Amino acid sequence: QRRADGAGSLRELRQLHLAAQLSCISLAPSCDEEGDAHLPPRACVVGTYAPSVVVLSLDPEHLLRPIAVCDLVESAMTGHMERCGGANVPEAVRLSPHRSGKLSVLVGLRNGLLVSVGAPQL
């Protein structure tokens, strides 16, 4: 919301209790037909200490509803990730377009690994 003096204000719309503590968060930009990312975001990506990645809806009708969840311990890198212990907690997450036209979530882990997991179409 904008006040009359032009300054912005924040207000709480909804609360979400995650099963694990939040480690990082990123808003996913929405693009118009020309590819310009100036529209309000439709999703956000959250990394947790579970360790997992959760894609949440920012659509007003489904605000903070989980769209997808990826347990990083049970991902394709299970053998390597289990040996890393607590180092597989997400340090940074980002929803990214893939050249195939689909979305992927890029997850930067504490141990320096960069993991790419499939994401739902938004």
Side-chain angles (χ1 to χ4, degrees):
Q1 291 181 330
R2 291 255 179 227
R3 297 190 319 230
D5 64 3
S9 64
L10 296 175
R11 66 184 172 101
E12 182 178 300
L13 297 176
R14 178 161 293 149
Q15 289 185 6
L16 174 68
H17 296 280
L18 297 170
Q21 186 177 358
L22 184 117
S23 64
C24 54
I25 187 168
S26 174
L27 292 175
S30 295
C31 298
D32 59 17
E33 288 80 26
E34 288 81 41
D36 295 327
H38 64 273
L39 302 173
R42 293 175 25 198
C44 71
V45 185
V46 174
T48 74
Y49 280 89
S52 65
V53 175
V54 182
V55 180
L56 300 170
S57 172
L58 294 180
D59 183 317
E61 292 181 26
H62 306 289
L63 189 60
L64 298 182
R65 181 178 294 169
I67 299 171
V69 178
C70 177
D71 182 345
L72 294 175
V73 174
E74 295 180 6
S75 73
M77 299 189 64
T78 299
H80 181 73
M81 301 282 275
E82 286 177 348
R83 291 191 300 272
C84 295
N88 58 352
V89 170
E91 188 96 349
V93 290
R94 184 75 171 168
L95 201 57
S96 174
H98 191 269
R99 62 178 164 252
S100 68
K102 296 183 179 181
L103 294 173
S104 61
V105 178
L106 297 175
V107 185
L109 304 177
R110 281 190 179 173
N111 64 3
L113 277 176
L114 178 64
V115 178
S116 177
V117 292
Q121 202 60 34
L122 303 176

